[in-house]
Amino acid sequence: MTDPSRPASAPLISVVVCTYNRAALLAQALDTLCAQTLDPDRYEVLVIDNNSTDDTRATVERYAPRVRHVLETAQGLSHARNRGWREARGTYVAYTDDDCKLPPDWLANARRVIEDRAPAALGGPYFAFYMSPKPVWFKDSYASHDQGSEARALGPDEFLDGGNIFVRRDLLAALNGFDPGLGMAGGRVAYGEETDLIKRLRAADPDALVWYDPALVVLHLVKPRLMSLRWLMGQRFAGGRDWYKLNHSDSPPPKSRRAVLQTVRQLGYHGIQFGLDLARGLLRRDRTTYPAFQNYLYERGFRRVFQMGETVQALLMQLGRDGD
């Protein structure tokens, strides 16, 4: 069922694409959004330009009036996403990335779920695609997010991905949208703003339906730098840091001298274990399970990097710093 309070002239879905200096990739995403099988009257597309200095505006104007350009001068993905829902006219606001390709039935499938389930939020998987050769060791699963082949309500510890998420606009307004202290900002690698939003949505309404449908597929570009061990290590560290921040914002760690020293020892322990994982990966790994050293490092060793990110964030909070 649909929202009876929505004006007949308003779209069902507002698609928000936040972008920063990636005009060439943005054009590819907009091509796929303009080719959706859903009736064009049922959706609108907004590009939130987060202070780009390239030809983003000119690129978007090529798609007018199907696509609307909005400039958001406050730097950061959460600021841009918040500007998106404030500008949106749809009952649901869909967020996808400027380096994604959307299959033609993406929005039609979303409409089906909305009419059948009327969820508070919905989303689906994303899968990797490439425009350049990938390293032989790099698995598609390293850059994909798949929560299974069954359409279902997500459990309390499951979340939707920010590049493929739809949220009711009235709920975004009630929750004041995304936390500007979380998420990417310029060159800062940070995560967690959509997870935080879903956590707050569930806290406000424990019965809120968060729906996953495998038909809501998004294809996400894996650029060469995202396939380097250096990037992947930094990504895993940032993921641990931001996961700890999300889960301990209301329950910070103790700040006594003894507690701080314990955290420092824990950080040292994770560092030693990571060093041992490096040695195992080089010398003793199961080469059937981990054909390349990089596979072992990503799938085993980087768990320690995530833990180091968590521990560093705990230490920063103990020392009275925010960790950014």
Side-chain angles (χ1 to χ4, degrees), residues 181-199:
L182 299 170
M184 300 283 189
R188 183 188 73 180
V189 178
Y191 305 99
E193 70 278 13
E194 61 274 354
T195 300
D196 170 71
L197 177 73
I198 297 298
K199 285 170 70 74

Side-chain angles (χ1 to χ4, degrees), residues 241-256:
R241 177 198 65 203
D242 294 338
W243 181 250
Y244 189 93
K245 187 186 301 185
L246 279 174
N247 288 282
H248 293 84
S249 58
D250 297 327
S251 56
K255 297 183 179 182
S256 66

Side-chain angles (χ1 to χ4, degrees), residues 68 83 86 183 189 193 201 267 295:
R68 180 154 54 103
R83 182 64 180 275
R86 292 186 175 110
V189 178
E193 70 278 13
L201 187 157
L267 181 60
N295 299 124

Side-chain angles (χ1 to χ4, degrees), residues 58-131:
T59 298
V60 176
E61 288 175 348
R62 296 205 308 264
Y63 295 86
R66 293 286 304 279
V67 179
R68 180 154 54 103
H69 176 274
V70 178
L71 177 65
E72 174 52 58
T73 57
Q75 196 71 51
L77 181 56
S78 288
H79 286 296
R81 285 177 166 172
N82 286 337
R83 182 64 180 275
W85 67 257
R86 292 186 175 110
E87 294 279 345
R89 297 184 302 119
T91 302
Y92 284 80
V93 181
Y95 291 94
T96 191
D97 294 337
D98 58 5
D99 55 358
C100 286
K101 293 194 297 187
L102 297 311
D105 59 356
W106 182 58
L107 290 178
N109 282 322
R111 181 197 62 186
R112 169 182 53 78
V113 174
I114 290 168
E115 292 178 346
D116 290 348
R117 301 284 177 174
L122 63 147
Y126 68 84
F127 298 110
F129 82 94
Y130 309 87
M131 296 175 65

